[in-house]
Amino acid sequence: MVDAMEVDRMKTLVGSMDGMGPAEALYAVAELQKEVGRREASLVRAARQSGLSWEAIALCLGVSKQAVHKKYGKQ
């Protein structure tokens, strides 16, 4: 399950972009991408540990089975 604090942090970053200049907004986007990447990796690990197949995980993420396995298969 996604931690509520993490979701709130991401929402805060997205909401704060409205008042930012372009450079600041780009920094915020970069931070969001890092946070989403970390969370995705954690969720993929949890999904594999709970028995989900690479195919099921790929379907959830909207990518091919090969893509998700290549990205996370060695974790």
Side-chain angles (χ1 to χ4, degrees), residues 37 39-48 52-75:
R39 191 64 188 148
E40 181 179 285
S42 174
L43 290 169
V44 169
R45 278 192 303 276
R48 288 296 294 158
L52 258 64
S53 68
W54 288 114
E55 187 173 10
I57 294 168
L59 181 65
C60 293
L61 293 175
V63 298
S64 70
K65 181 174 92 169
Q66 293 80 6
V68 77
H69 188 265
K70 181 178 179 180
K71 187 172 182 178
Y72 297 109
K74 295 185 176 161
Q75 290 186 356

